[in-house]
Amino acid sequence: MKTRTLPSHLRCILAVTLIGAAAAVSAQPMQGPPPFSAFDTDGDGFISEQEFNDARTRRMQERAAQGGQMRGAATAPSFESLDTDRDGRLSPQEFEAGQSVRQAQRGQWGGGPGMGRNAPSFEDFDLNGDGRITAEEFEQARTKRISERASAGYPMRGLANAPSFDDIDTDHDGVVTPAEFAAHQALRRQQMPGRQ
């Protein structure tokens, strides 16, 4: 089979076009949550507060330079709110739980009944807004949610299998943190039919 080569002027045009397309793709603002590795710059498997702040600043500067929107920057979680065990560093699990909370707050979860846009948020249960859910708040919010959904005509399937406060309060300290709430919601999503 005989192969044909492009004339040199067409090769130049093609090369310039490909270089331009590659530059345009690389200039796109970063989408979605950054990976753990973007923060763990020293590669030790944990994120220090300095690494966290440096990576966040760098990401914001990159997005600003590329004309990316800075939605949610003012309400982004702090290092302290993600460091749930208060050891001064973020584990991959703490980081992932924090991202899950953030995505839930933005309404980005999909899924079946009760786990999509209708999924309750942490704020739905944190009635006094102190960043923790007590057993009393949990029961009040759950009762209100069940009542509202029943009044709106939603089927009330799955109530018998609904998690208890103790199921979500995994460290059994009497309060549910945003990380515990997010971890439980993530587990529920994984257990849904068709998610395996």
Side-chain angles (χ1 to χ4, degrees), residues 8-76:
S8 61
H9 72 283
L10 289 179
R11 284 194 305 246
C12 287
I13 291 171
L14 181 59
V16 168
T17 303
L18 290 174
I19 290 170
V25 168
S26 67
Q28 292 295 317
M30 205 170 170
Q31 297 294 318
F36 183 85
S37 60
F39 287 85
D40 181 22
T41 54
D42 67 4
D44 69 351
F46 293 95
I47 301 170
S48 70
E49 186 169 7
Q50 185 67 49
E51 286 176 312
F52 181 82
N53 292 332
D54 290 349
R56 177 172 278 173
T57 300
R58 187 172 51 254
R59 181 171 164 86
M60 291 175 70
Q61 289 171 344
E62 288 170 0
R63 288 184 65 86
Q66 296 169 351
Q69 295 183 358
M70 304 301 287
R71 293 180 304 221
T75 60

Side-chain angles (χ1 to χ4, degrees), residues 29-143:
M30 205 170 170
Q31 297 294 318
F36 183 85
S37 60
F39 287 85
D40 181 22
T41 54
D42 67 4
D44 69 351
F46 293 95
I47 301 170
S48 70
E49 186 169 7
Q50 185 67 49
E51 286 176 312
F52 181 82
N53 292 332
D54 290 349
R56 177 172 278 173
T57 300
R58 187 172 51 254
R59 181 171 164 86
M60 291 175 70
Q61 289 171 344
E62 288 170 0
R63 288 184 65 86
Q66 296 169 351
Q69 295 183 358
M70 304 301 287
R71 293 180 304 221
T75 60
S78 66
F79 178 85
E80 292 78 20
S81 71
L82 299 176
D83 183 20
T84 55
D85 64 6
R86 305 290 181 247
D87 68 351
R89 60 188 192 166
L90 300 180
S91 67
Q93 294 79 15
E94 288 173 312
F95 184 78
E96 183 177 317
Q99 285 192 329
S100 295
V101 169
R102 186 83 168 141
Q103 289 174 340
Q105 290 169 342
R106 292 179 177 173
Q108 294 178 347
W109 284 353
M115 291 308 291
R117 283 184 276 281
N118 294 326
S121 69
F122 182 85
E123 289 74 19
D124 291 334
F125 287 91
D126 182 17
L127 301 179
N128 65 4
D130 67 352
R132 314 172 329 148
I133 302 170
T134 64
E136 184 178 331
E137 285 175 307
F138 182 81
E139 291 306 322
Q140 285 178 358
R142 174 175 275 173
T143 300

